[in-house]
Amino acid sequence: FWLKKRGCSALISPLFSTSWTFPAESCSDKMLWMILPAVLFFFRGKVAEKLAPVLGSLEPQLTVCRGHFLTLVFAVFYVAPFELVGLGVMKRPTYLASLWCNVLTLLWTLKCNYGAPPMPQVGGFSISALKQSAEAAMRTLAPWLQRAMDGADFHWLFFVLIFLTAYPSVFCLLIIGRRSLWSVCTYSSKNAPDSRLWKVFSSTWDKLKAREAEILGYSTMAEIMLGIWLTVSLALPTRQIMTTILYWNFLRTRYQVRRSHEAHLKAWKQLELPLLPLLQKAPFLNKPIDMAKGWFQPQMA
């Protein structure tokens, strides 16, 4: 609000959203988000029966590559300034299309790598029956979740689902777009070196690949900066309390797991260096920082 009042909203809003005002969701839109998962769950048998012939004929790696490619295409469409030619109405659909392509791609990757998760049976609709079903579901899903959480795709699925119901964010698309670009280029360089499109982009990929460690470091820093921005935005009219809570849990998980722990530890240390002089002058700030560090501590065997 302080920045907006002084005319700075035009400087900061394009970085994080399309505008400072967002259309409110109708009750029917919110109900749809609740109904669709329930419909898919109760009719999962028929859905699986219909999709089995189609999914069984798909080549896993090529399908993943195509999914990430569509994620990139829709992300580029979202970033493109279509509102200058009167097509601003396309912004929200292309943003959601990019995220949904990524969600479906990650779900497909998890299914290919770990198999479909076991689906628990619902014994009834009473409170006791639902409670028993929930406990049975946790016992049934626990082994599958333990294996899936060792990989990166499960965590990134959580990341994308967070922003499906959040305000549109360019930072979000940049982060998942970098992953999608790496996936598409890695597959194309090995399996489609003669593709016309790949020949056009291969020289650019060689330059990006040569700076891979640096770019991955920037990507990790972007993840953390997005969390900091969400925290700062709690003081703004565009505050997103639940999104902020969920996202910091995502960052905590990324810090704790072996695959991404070193990268996040390095990024946090880089952010801590400029604060050292301030902490020396204001040592009382060390206590809340130490509490935050304790919450982030990795739980690794």
Side-chain angles (χ1 to χ4, degrees), residues 12 16 20 224-234 236 238:
I12 61 174
F16 306 102
W20 276 91
I224 297 173
M225 293 305 298
L226 179 54
I228 294 174
W229 164 250
L230 287 172
T231 304
V232 172
S233 68
L234 292 177
L236 302 174
T238 53

Side-chain angles (χ1 to χ4, degrees), residues 16-153:
F16 306 102
S17 62
T18 54
S19 66
W20 276 91
T21 58
F22 299 87
E25 285 187 315
S26 64
C27 292
S28 60
D29 292 335
K30 294 181 179 179
M31 288 299 296
L32 187 61
W33 283 105
M34 300 171 63
I35 293 173
L36 281 177
V39 171
L40 291 175
F41 176 79
F42 286 111
F43 293 95
R44 62 191 183 278
K46 292 187 178 295
V47 172
E49 182 181 349
K50 296 293 183 182
L51 292 180
V54 178
L55 298 180
S57 62
L58 297 176
E59 200 279 311
Q61 291 186 344
L62 178 59
T63 303
V64 170
C65 177
R66 288 172 175 170
H68 282 298
F69 180 75
L70 288 175
T71 299
L72 279 172
V73 169
F74 285 117
V76 171
F77 283 161
Y78 174 78
V79 176
F82 285 120
E83 61 271 17
L84 298 181
V85 292
L87 295 176
V89 69
M90 297 299 296
K91 284 289 190 178
R92 181 70 177 177
T94 53
Y95 176 81
L96 290 176
S98 179
L99 294 188
W100 272 114
C101 285
N102 203 249
V103 167
L104 295 176
T105 302
L106 292 171
L107 287 173
W108 173 254
T109 304
L110 289 171
K111 188 264 181 186
C112 293
N113 291 340
Y114 309 105
M119 300 301 295
Q121 299 296 324
V122 178
F125 295 98
S126 64
I127 296 179
S128 59
L130 290 175
K131 183 178 179 180
Q132 292 176 358
S133 298
E135 294 175 351
M138 291 305 299
R139 290 194 298 268
T140 304
L141 287 172
W144 185 89
L145 285 173
Q146 186 174 3
R147 290 185 293 114
M149 289 184 68
D150 287 337
D153 295 299

